[in-house]
Amino acid sequence: METVAVKASKAYQVEIENGALPTLGTRVASLLPRARQAMLVSDSTVAALYGETAERALREAGLRVHRFTFPSGEASKTPETLCTLWNALAEAGLSRTDCIVALGGGVVGDLSGFAAATYLRGIACYQVPTTLLAMVDSSVGGKTAVDLPAGKNLCGTFSQPVGVLCDPLVLKTLPFRIYADGCAEVIKYGYIGDPTLLQMLETSFIEAPEKVIARCVANKRDVVEADEHDNGARQLLNLGHTGGHAIERLSDFSISHGEAVAIGMLLAAKGAVAKGLCTPDVPTHMEKMLQRYSLPIRCPYGADAMAEAALADKKRRGGEITLVLPKKLGESVLVPMPVTALADFFAAGGAKA
Ligand code: NAD
Ligand code: GLY
């Protein structure tokens, strides 16, 4: 088993172990000895695959288990689903000492975390991520959210979970494209600040992902401990995301988040080289790495459209945008840039002029 200890405003462990799902109940019960009831939150796909195993494990540890299941997909990450979940928690009579167990990908994790942070002004949330992205990113660090029609993740809280359990065996049922999405986030940690991880990724980790997941979680832990509330260093986690969000939006979300981040990382690296901010080996290395994990590398959109879409982000303010740019292999930095220079930067990075 790999364990990563996180010491943010709340301390907790991320445990990574093949075949650990049936031990979920004993882990939750030992962390929360006063809990009598658990709300097991899942989406419809994950509930069908792993809901029964998780429920049994919680029941056998002495917890009364309630289930809340919603349709899979980002379209469910809404205030409406959140409100239905709040009502389900109240109807089940969960008290301050009870807990939510979030079994699923980032959508389940973000929604459950938000519900737990706000129901009765805060109950415990235990995360059981079932996608690679959720294991290496969204289940750790305490960002919770729902989407609004005006944009993604516009309502949420910073609320750390009480614990995280990753069972990499559940990744075997992930559709290939969703696995590849998670690989983009794994690769991202290497270029942000971990040259050793880049070496580990030279050989595909997909058959035995435990150590790579632990390494990514440790990277995320370091950033979150340095800047839990996202005022500085945590923005490094957005490598590839300025271009990536623009690509997602321009493709009307037919290009997935991970695919868009992959293209966005390469744009950032090539643009940084063109501006003399990065060593030229980085984009070459990155291109091979992304292709090794079946991720796309070509930007299908023009620089002006990309800049316009990137600047439409409702959370951005003012005349400057902070880009995350690779500086050398295994190191990235935050670089403020006037918004008027963004189209030129994307063109330098390989978007069509
Ligand atoms: P997701 O939760 O929608 O899961 C993707 C798909 O995989 C879903 O259809 C789901 O049903 C299915 N699935 C999940 N586990 C499975 C398994 N083991 N086997 C088969 N199918 C499975 O998407 P995601 O990529 O996990 O997460 C994306 C969400 O995470 C977005 O809403 C994003 O905003 C959020 N996010 C949050 C943070 C954070 O720090 N809180 C970080 C990154 C992303
Ligand atoms: N995934 C971005 C963050 O946690 O800040």
Side-chain angles (χ1 to χ4, degrees), residues 59-334:
R59 234 189 299 113
E60 284 173 2
L63 288 157
R64 178 159 182 229
V65 183
H66 308 271
R67 296 277 287 267
F68 182 84
T69 303
F70 58 81
S72 309
E74 188 72 30
S76 288
K77 206 175 110 178
T78 59
E80 291 73 23
T81 315
L82 175 67
C83 190
T84 314
L85 174 52
W86 279 330
N87 281 316
L89 292 164
E91 277 159 25
L94 261 76
S95 74
R96 289 287 293 277
T97 51
D98 293 326
C99 65
I100 290 182
V101 176
L103 174 73
V107 166
V108 169
D110 280 13
L111 186 85
S112 302
F114 195 178
T118 43
Y119 175 69
L120 299 181
R121 300 192 181 86
I123 65 171
C125 185
Y126 188 90
Q127 292 277 352
V128 189
T130 62
T131 62
L132 181 58
L133 177 143
M135 289 186 190
V136 300
D137 190 356
S138 59
S139 63
V140 181
K143 279 190 181 175
T144 80
V146 293
D147 303 332
L148 298 182
K152 273 187 70 174
N153 297 325
L154 286 186
C155 274
T157 63
F158 288 98
S159 323
Q160 302 296 333
V162 290
V164 182
L165 179 63
C166 303
D167 177 354
L169 286 190
V170 306
L171 300 177
K172 301 253 180 243
T173 50
L174 263 192
F176 179 76
R177 206 167 164 212
I178 296 173
Y179 206 122
D181 266 350
C183 290
E185 305 289 347
V186 167
I187 291 168
K188 184 190 78 176
Y189 286 112
Y191 291 103
I192 290 173
D194 191 348
T196 305
L197 177 61
L198 289 178
Q199 278 166 14
M200 290 165 79
L201 298 178
E202 291 288 331
T203 318
S204 171
F205 67 92
I206 289 174
E207 286 310 311
E210 239 178 320
K211 286 208 160 22
V212 163
I213 293 169
R215 184 119 197 149
C216 293
V217 171
N219 271 290
K220 176 130 192 198
R221 179 265 321 272
D222 292 347
V223 173
V224 167
E225 286 183 358
D227 176 26
E228 182 171 349
H229 294 105
D230 207 2
N231 297 311
R234 190 162 178 167
Q235 289 170 39
L236 285 167
L237 297 174
N238 293 335
L239 175 62
H241 282 61
T242 302
H245 284 150
I247 291 165
E248 273 185 285
R249 198 165 289 167
L250 289 169
S251 76
D252 207 11
F253 296 89
S254 65
I255 298 180
S256 70
H257 180 71
E259 290 164 347
V261 166
I263 301 168
M265 277 195 282
L266 194 56
L267 274 178
K270 286 184 174 169
V273 171
K275 300 282 171 201
L277 301 169
C278 177
T279 56
D281 54 331
V282 175
T284 317
H285 189 279
M286 197 183 268
E287 243 180 68
K288 279 197 198 124
M289 181 68 83
L290 295 172
Q291 286 178 314
R292 181 174 302 127
Y293 290 96
S294 308
L295 288 159
I297 55 171
R298 304 252 169 268
C299 179
Y301 303 109
D304 288 333
M306 286 282 294
E308 194 182 325
L311 296 172
D313 186 342
K314 300 286 184 298
K315 283 185 283 192
R316 197 192 57 79
R317 275 200 227 128
E320 228 174 39
I321 186 161
T322 301
L323 297 183
V324 188
L325 300 183
K327 189 176 163 198
K328 60 182 186 185
L329 266 187
E331 185 180 342
S332 292
V333 288
L334 299 177

